[in-house]
Amino acid sequence: MEKYGIPQSLLPGKAYINGTWVSEKTGKTFKVLNPATGELLGEVPDLGAAETEEAIGVAYKTFQTWKETTAKERAKILRKWSELLMANQEHLAKILTLENGKPLTEGKGEIGFSASFFDWYAEEARRTYGDVVPTPAQNKRLVVIRQPVGVAGLITPWNFPAGMIARKVAAALAAGCTTVLKPAEDTPLSALAMAQLAEVAGVPAGVFNVIPCSRPNAASVGKTLCESPLVAKISFTGSSATGKLILKQAASTVKKVSMELGGNAPFIVFNSANVDAAVKGAILCKYRGSGQTCVSANRMLIQEGVYDEFCSKFAAEVKKFVVGDGMQEGVTQGPLINERGLEKVKRHVEDALQNGGKVLCGGKPHSLGRTFFEPTVISEVSNKAVVLQEETFGPLAALVKFNTEAEAIAIANNCRHGLAGYFYSQDISQAWRVAEQMEVGMVGINEGLISMDVIPFGGVKESGLGREGSKYGLDDYMEMKYICFGGI
Ligand code: ADP
C-alpha cells in the first residue's frame, strides 16, 4: 500500500478492541484483495467468537460511563471525527477504492457522505428530547425520557465500506450507545482506518470496537453478537438471506433490530417525463458503484410513448463509460466485488436474453477479465425475466415496456422488496398518485440520487426494519422510558 502514498497510520492491520490494536490469539489472518487487480492489499486478524465476547464485555462496561457523558461532549467528539475524515479524504478514498473497486471520485464522494453523518449526528445528539404528557389524574405527573439502548452490534456490507459504518456508528454514539462492529470481509481496511481516526478524535477506549473476520467466521461472530444478553441492539446492512438469519438469531434475546436489506428498485419513466432528465438520473441510479448499491435501479419500466427514445439515448450514454481499475484517472466503471458477483450478473443477462431481451450494449464479461463485466443495456425484456424478481447488483439495465400507469405500479409493487423506487413524470397529479402507491420506503421523483445524512433511509416489506440517518435514525438506538410521578 506504500506505493499509493497512504500513511501507515491509516493501515493499522489489526483489530481494535478497548482502544487497543490486537491480533487474533493464534495469529490467524485473512487476505484483503483488490477486486480490480487481484493484488494482495493486506492481511487482517481473523477474529472469532472468543474475541467477539471480549469486545462485547468491553463495550458493555464502557457503556456504563459513556451513557453518563453529556450530549454536548459526545457531539464534540463526533464533530472532530467528521473533520478528521475530511482532512484524510484523499487517503481514505484510496483505501476504499483499492478494496472495493469503485472509481476514486466515487470513493471520495463516499468519504464526504460518511463525514456528513458524524457531522449531522453531532448536531442531533443534542436534540433527543422527551415529552411531558398532559395528565388525566390530578395527583400524577407523566414524563417520557429517551435513553440509549446499550451496546449496539453492527454488521456492515462491502458496497459502501465507510458509509454504512458511519451511518450506524454516528447515530449509536450520538444516542449514548457503545458499539461492536463487524465489517465486511471484503473491505475491512476502511473500517480500521476509521477506527484509527476515532482514536485521534477522542472516542474513548471501548466505545467503538472493530472485529474483522473472514467469511467462514462471520456466522459465529454474528451469532455471538445476536445471542449475547449484553448486546441490546443489532443493526445490519446486507443481503436478505443473511438479514433473515440475523433476525431469527436476535429473537433469542429479544433485541431491538434494524435491518437494511435488498432493494430491487423500480425505476419508471412515464410518457410525461423529461426523457433527457430521466436518462441522466437512470445513469446515476443504475451504474453508480457498478450497480452494486441496494438503491440501484433494478427494474426499469419505460412507458411505450417514450420507450424508443429512452432506450437509444440511454444506451448511447452507457457506451461512453470507461471501464477499468478505479484508481486510474478517467475510469467511470469499476469491477464487481468478486467472481460471485460477476456470476450473478452473467446469469441475469442470459436469462433476460432467453426472455426476449435484445442487447443494446454490453452483454458479456469484459475483456479486462475476472471481476469486470461490460456495462449492459437490454431492451424488450419480458416480465418473466429473473431480473424482475431478483436484485442483480451489477451493471445490467433491463428495460421493460409498459402501457398504463396502473400496469407500471402493479409491476413495481409485485415484489417482496420495497426499499427505494424512482419515477420520472412532469405531471404533478401523477407524481402524487404514484409516490403514494409505491410500496417502498423512499421515493425519488425526477431524481436518481436520494441518499444523504438528513433523510430517513430504509425500506418496507423484506427490505428491512427501521430507519437510518435523519432525526428518526436516533430512535433505533434509543428507548422511551415513561416515568409517572405519583402523590403530587
Ligand atoms: P454478501 O453476500 O453480498 O456479502 P451478506 O449479507 O452475506 O452479503 O454480507 C453482509 C455482511 O454480513 C458482511 O459483513 C458479512 O460478513 C456478514 N455476514 C455474512 N454471513 C453472516 C452470518 N451468518 N452472520 C452474521 N453476519 C454475516
Side-chain angles (χ1 to χ4, degrees):
M1 299 284 267
E2 263 168 39
K3 65 180 175 192
Y4 301 107
I6 303 164
Q8 200 52 40
S9 61
L10 289 175
L11 299 163
K14 296 264 170 71
Y16 187 64
I17 301 176
N18 204 14
T20 311
W21 297 101
V22 296
S23 302
E24 196 270 347
K25 292 202 171 61
T26 62
K28 229 176 93 194
T29 59
F30 67 100
K31 293 181 165 62
V32 184
L33 306 176
N34 180 338
T37 60
E39 174 195 12
L40 177 67
L41 298 173
E43 301 215 15
V44 172
D46 189 4
L47 269 47
E51 293 95 346
T52 309
E53 289 282 10
E54 185 191 330
I56 293 170
V58 162
Y60 186 76
K61 186 157 173 272
T62 313
F63 176 62
Q64 311 314 319
T65 48
W66 180 245
K67 70 179 178 186
E68 299 300 337
T69 56
T70 65
K72 189 169 178 179
E73 288 167 319
R74 297 198 296 277
K76 206 168 151 196
I77 293 170
L78 290 172
R79 186 159 293 118
K80 183 79 191 156
W81 199 351
S82 172
E83 285 164 7
L84 286 167
L85 288 170
M86 290 313 288
N88 288 279
Q89 187 177 22
E90 296 279 334
H91 299 313
L92 294 170
K94 281 187 191 167
I95 296 173
L96 201 156
T97 287
L98 285 165
E99 63 178 355
N100 166 282
K102 65 179 68 177
L104 198 55
T105 44
E106 285 190 33
K108 274 187 210 157
E110 183 177 336
I111 300 304
F113 177 72
S114 307
S116 75
F117 285 99
F118 288 101
D119 205 38
W120 167 259
Y121 279 115
E123 293 170 358
E124 283 303 296
R126 301 186 68 189
R127 311 202 211 294
T128 58
Y129 294 101
D131 255 325
V132 179
V133 181
T135 182
Q138 272 188 352
N139 63 343
K140 291 178 183 164
R141 296 295 179 271
L142 317 174
V143 183
V144 178
I145 63 168
R146 292 168 77 203
Q147 294 181 303
V149 288
V151 176
L154 314 174
I155 302 176
T156 51
W158 48 263
N159 62 342
F160 289 94
M164 294 304 99
I165 294 172
R167 197 152 73 180
K168 295 184 195 304
V169 173
L173 266 54
C177 295
T178 55
T179 54
V180 178
L181 165 73
K182 190 210 95 53
E185 57 276 4
D186 296 297
T187 58
L189 303 180
S190 295
L192 297 174
M194 287 171 82
Q196 204 279 329
L197 295 177
E199 192 170 89
V200 181
V203 175
V207 168
F208 177 53
N209 304 281
V210 186
I211 41 170
C213 72
S214 63
R215 187 73 180 194
N217 273 354
S220 66
V221 168
K223 191 162 188 286
T224 308
L225 284 171
C226 288
E227 296 185 350
S228 168
L230 300 185
V231 175
K233 188 215 159 66
I234 295 286
S235 178
F236 171 78
T237 300
S239 65
S240 295
T242 305
K244 286 176 189 175
L245 175 70
I246 286 173
L247 194 55
K248 268 193 204 142
Q249 289 175 350
S252 65
T253 40
V254 193
K255 292 196 199 327
K256 211 172 157 74
V257 176
S258 302
M259 296 261 142
E260 201 262 276
L261 309 177
N264 205 350
F267 187 105
I268 309 173
V269 183
F270 288 106
N271 285 345
S272 61
N274 173 333
V275 174
D276 291 333
V279 166
K280 212 166 146 205
I283 291 288
L284 286 171
C285 189
K286 175 66 247 180
Y287 292 102
R288 188 168 57 110
S290 293
Q292 300 172 107
T293 93
C294 45
V295 289
S296 294
N298 203 57
R299 295 172 296 148
M300 303 188 62
L301 315 175
I302 321 296
Q303 201 161 10
E304 51 176 354
V306 290
Y307 190 82
D308 292 342
E309 182 188 357
F310 182 88
C311 287
S312 65
K313 285 183 170 170
F314 183 69
E317 286 304 309
V318 175
K319 281 178 189 158
K320 292 181 191 162
F321 288 166
V322 182
V323 179
D325 179 348
M327 292 295 279
Q328 282 167 12
E329 187 91 25
V331 164
T332 60
Q333 286 284 294
L336 277 304
I337 189 69
N338 50 36
E339 283 89 347
R340 193 156 55 100
L342 185 104
E343 282 309 313
K344 190 171 189 193
V345 180
K346 230 169 111 182
R347 179 164 65 81
H348 279 206
V349 168
E350 282 162 10
D351 175 84
L353 296 180
Q354 275 161 19
N355 277 287
K358 294 197 177 73
V359 175
L360 297 187
C361 71
K364 54 184 194 306
H366 196 279
S367 56
L368 284 168
R370 283 187 64 246
T371 46
F372 287 94
F373 201 91
E374 293 174 349
T376 297
V377 182
I378 301 184
S379 68
E380 311 294 338
V381 177
S382 99
N383 261 334
K384 296 196 187 71
V386 72
V387 59
L388 271 286
Q389 315 305 325
E390 277 179 37
E391 198 175 23
T392 306
F393 239 60
L396 160 66
L399 309 179
V400 177
K401 194 187 285 184
F402 70 91
N403 297 312
T404 66
E405 181 184 302
E407 188 189 346
I409 290 169
I411 299 171
N413 289 345
N414 181 24
C415 177
R416 284 305 309 148
H417 288 97
L419 190 60
Y422 311 84
F423 64 89
Y424 277 70
S425 166
Q426 299 284 73
D427 173 344
I428 195 158
S429 312
Q430 182 172 52
W432 269 112
R433 260 193 328 266
V434 175
E436 285 182 357
Q437 288 182 76
M438 278 182 131
E439 295 173 359
V440 294
M442 300 174 284
V443 178
I445 305 175
N446 299 324
E447 181 55 61
L449 280 184
I450 57 174
S451 183
M452 57 192 102
D453 52 350
V454 301
I455 58 98
F457 191 101
V460 299
K461 295 176 163 178
E462 291 184 20
S463 283
L465 297 168
R467 293 293 181 269
E468 293 193 304
S470 81
K471 64 175 182 174
Y472 306 104
L474 277 178
D475 295 345
D476 281 33
Y477 294 93
M478 303 196 90
E479 289 287 12
M480 267 188 277
K481 184 182 278 172
Y482 153 56
I483 305 172
C484 175
F485 288 78
I488 306 284

